Amino acid sequence: MPTLLRVDSSPMFQNSVSRQLTEEFVQRWKALHPDARVISRDLNQTQLVPVTAQWVLAAYTPEERRSPEHKQILELSDTLIAELEAADEYVIGVPMHNFSIPSTAKLWIDLIARVGKTFTYAEGKPKGLLERKKATFLVASGQKYDAGSPFAALNFIEPYLRAVSAFLGVTQTIFINAGGTASLRSAGADRAAFLQPFVEAVSTQVV
């Protein structure tokens, strides 16, 4: 059974462009895969906490030697990683915050990037363990940061997420950038017209 993991990181909920695009992706994907499964992970409704020294100690303790406290510390990380392992494909909504990803998305990455779980070292070189997966990132930003635009050098989202994905073994990554969302704050802005080209771009990526 094909499985899609949907991850949302915007705090704007119903006003979020990235959430609207992930919803569009999911609905189109479900239409093509009516008997498939969708796992939804809302990072703004998940109690994410920063990685601590105790977390690192638990993660690097061999599984057979972990105490009940270690297992409790790693419980959320285990759950988030299990979602990634169960899915064949990911769609991830990411708004730009200060030229990079939201803090919730960074906490999620910190919890899923675990040695022996999502990556390992073979002969001293890192090897990603989330292989044969596809990730589509739907990025919303107030300005346009596409290649060739005046602000392109300030877009740290795409290079960072490409690097992290590849490190974890996900080499098939697609980015759809919905730039210019600041225009939606003006009086009389046509949200549907603004979204239309990005919705069409999403439709071309759903298979």
Side-chain angles (χ1 to χ4, degrees):
M1 175 190 299
T3 300
L4 173 70
L5 171 62
R6 170 187 179 173
V7 179
D8 285 301
S9 60
S10 173
M12 298 303 290
F13 296 101
Q14 70 271 17
N15 292 320
S16 166
V17 167
S18 65
R19 285 177 183 268
Q20 190 163 346
L21 293 177
T22 56
E23 178 64 21
E24 187 72 29
F25 188 103
V26 168
Q27 293 307 317
R28 290 175 182 264
W29 190 88
K30 286 169 66 176
L32 290 178
H33 307 277
D35 298 322
R37 175 186 177 208
V38 176
I39 303 170
S40 295
R41 172 58 61 177
D42 189 332
L43 300 182
N44 280 274
Q45 298 197 26
T46 303
Q47 191 170 355
L48 300 164
V49 295
V51 166
T52 63
Q54 291 80 8
W55 189 96
V56 174
L57 176 62
Y60 279 87
T61 298
E63 193 164 353
E64 67 275 8
R65 290 170 47 195
R66 285 179 190 150
S67 67
E69 182 182 6
H70 288 155
K71 294 175 182 178
Q72 182 179 15
I73 289 171
L74 295 174
E75 184 176 4
L76 176 58
S77 173
D78 288 338
T79 298
L80 298 176
I81 290 171
E83 293 173 349
L84 289 163
E85 292 173 335
D88 306 290
E89 185 175 353
Y90 315 137
V91 59
I92 303 172
V94 186
M96 178 179 281
H97 287 185
N98 300 314
F99 313 120
S100 188
I101 62 175
S103 58
T104 51
K106 180 57 169 65
L107 288 172
W108 177 69
I109 289 171
D110 289 345
L111 293 173
I112 64 171
R114 263 178 62 191
V115 67
K117 283 287 193 178
T118 52
F119 72 93
T120 188
Y121 287 99
E123 300 178 353
K125 297 179 181 179
K127 175 179 172 56
L129 300 178
L130 296 175
E131 298 180 298
R132 296 181 294 279
K133 312 282 189 180
K134 173 186 174 184
T136 301
F137 293 95
L138 305 177
V139 181
S141 56
Q143 298 295 329
K144 293 183 178 180
Y145 295 87
D146 300 288
S149 70
F151 299 106
L154 295 177
N155 178 8
F156 299 103
I157 288 181
E158 187 166 338
Y160 174 66
L161 291 178
R162 282 193 188 278
V164 170
S165 298
F167 183 80
L168 300 180
V170 183
T171 56
Q172 187 179 358
T173 52
I174 295 165
F175 285 78
I176 296 175
N177 300 305
T181 62
S183 65
L184 295 176
R185 294 195 290 270
S186 62
D190 188 334
R191 187 180 180 93
F194 172 84
L195 286 168
Q196 186 57 35
F198 308 118
V199 169
E200 291 176 1
V202 165
S203 70
T204 66
Q205 298 303 325
V206 179
V207 294

